[in-house]
Amino acid sequence: MTDSANRANKTTVIWSIAGSDNSAGAGIQADLKTSQSFSTPEQPLHLCTLVTAITAQHSSGVDSCMAVSVAMLHQQAMALLKDAKPTVIKIGLLVNKLQVLWLADFLQELRQQQTDLLVIYDPVAISSSGSRMADADLYQAVMQHLLPQLDLLTPNLPELEAFTKAAPAKQAVQQLFEFGVKAVLVKGGHNFDTQSCTDELFISPQFSFRGYPAYSHQISLRSPRQQHQFNHGTGCCFSSALAAALALGYALEDAFVVAKSYINQGLSQPVAITECSGTLGHWGFPAKADYLPELLTEDLQPPAKSFAPLKAPLGLYVIVPSVAELQRALAAGVKTLQLRIKSTDQVLLRQEIQQAIQLCQQHDIQLFINDHWQLALELGAYGVHLGQEDINSANLAALRQAGLRLGLSSHGFYKLLRAQQFQPSYLAIGAVFATQTKEMGGKLQGLQKLARYSALFPTIPLVAIGGIHEHNAQAVLACGIQHLAVVQAFAKAAEPTLWVQQMQQLIAGAQLEQKPCSMI
């Protein structure tokens, strides 16, 4: 098979079922631009279109809208199915009840053949300028026929009210859940806050993405409101950015963070068509920390001050299961260690942790204790490493006050954003590659995500973990990551001292070069 054929097999197909915007700010044209911003040679996306309406519009309004017949819609769908089925379908403008009825039946049949299909509906009926583009009874038809076929609904506040006539938002969302929708993203562009824009994602307990439940069932993201009028197509682009991120395999929470960042980037660098009208820009995957939103929904109170910084770069970070292996690592020249003991014997835990702390203090080594933060605090450890599930029970204030360094595990954009608010000493990202020590169930991070993490989270040391060894370390470092955590690679090293020297040289060389990864 040729290289081009191999690449074609990796292409992910998205469908956009929406209206055509001849001004290219919203609708089909905006969906195409957004999808292209997320596509890379390593993970190509291909967006196909089913046009529901032809509009005559500009960045300030819609002058005319003509519906496409259901027969023509069906022919478009049948033609596309001759090539490839979609991974994600994003629905935009539907004009009338007949289109809704056809689409509901079509999606039901398609789901019988394709159980992992994701369907997003951005319920456009009235443009942001106030122009009505759909029949008055459209939402009633959607409620009765289309909602059970949807995974994610993305209404703004007026659209949510038109659907449910319920307030506040939580009650309206619950009503939509009862109709079968799995998740609802309430876009906040129409709220009364003139200084900021808050979007809320509500996820039903029944929702799962490729077999994995959501980490949180309500997430709110806030960003400063852009004080200009160059925002034509923002809602369309938000939902199509979600579609693109989900097509890349991102969890729904991660897709939400990325889509919000994408919109922030586009509004920060808009395309002005006239002095008073324009659209948001499409400048590729968001790559600056300034575009990240603020996470509001966590009940946890982050510390007022950051945790103590590292006294030296992590560099090569070796994780060991016992004091015996720790001593082997010390003899090989390792300067940063984590003691990860899985025993439940409290006497053994105390003895091992105390001995490890004493050994590392003698050699001026950065030692992190995994999970057992109470013993680490009591015995005067240098630092602790916690999973984000442990934050609820750990006394972070006591750890910070005692001067312990804190490392937190992260497995995606949402968890990185969540972990960052606790101002830890470092963030661990994994698993990068498949590993024997932890089953990630298809949620591997990969090199492309690493490059994007390093661009969006540049202020906190990031350490990559999971399946890293001497043969793939260079590729990881090329993504802007300067710290590598290893488990099995060190444990299996026949000559640990030489192996450690080799890895330390790779890391030192990458830190000097500071080359950006080509996959951003």
Side-chain angles (χ1 to χ4, degrees), residues 40-42 285 446-449 451-452 475 478-479 516-520:
T40 67
E42 292 75 24
F285 197 95
L447 296 177
Q448 187 176 78
K449 281 187 180 180
R452 290 169 170 172
C479 293
C517 181
S518 61
M519 290 187 293
I520 294 178

Side-chain angles (χ1 to χ4, degrees), residues 23 35 64 72 83 88 93 100 152 154 159-160 162 178 181 195 197 236-237 239 254 287 320 325 334 361 386 430:
S23 74
S35 176
S64 179
M72 186 60 193
D83 284 334
V88 178
L93 174 63
V100 172
L152 175 61
T154 64
E159 290 163 350
L160 182 67
E178 292 170 1
V181 176
Q195 300 303 312
C197 179
C236 290
C237 296
S239 57
D254 292 344
V320 295
E325 278 297 298
V334 177
Q361 286 175 344
L386 300 175

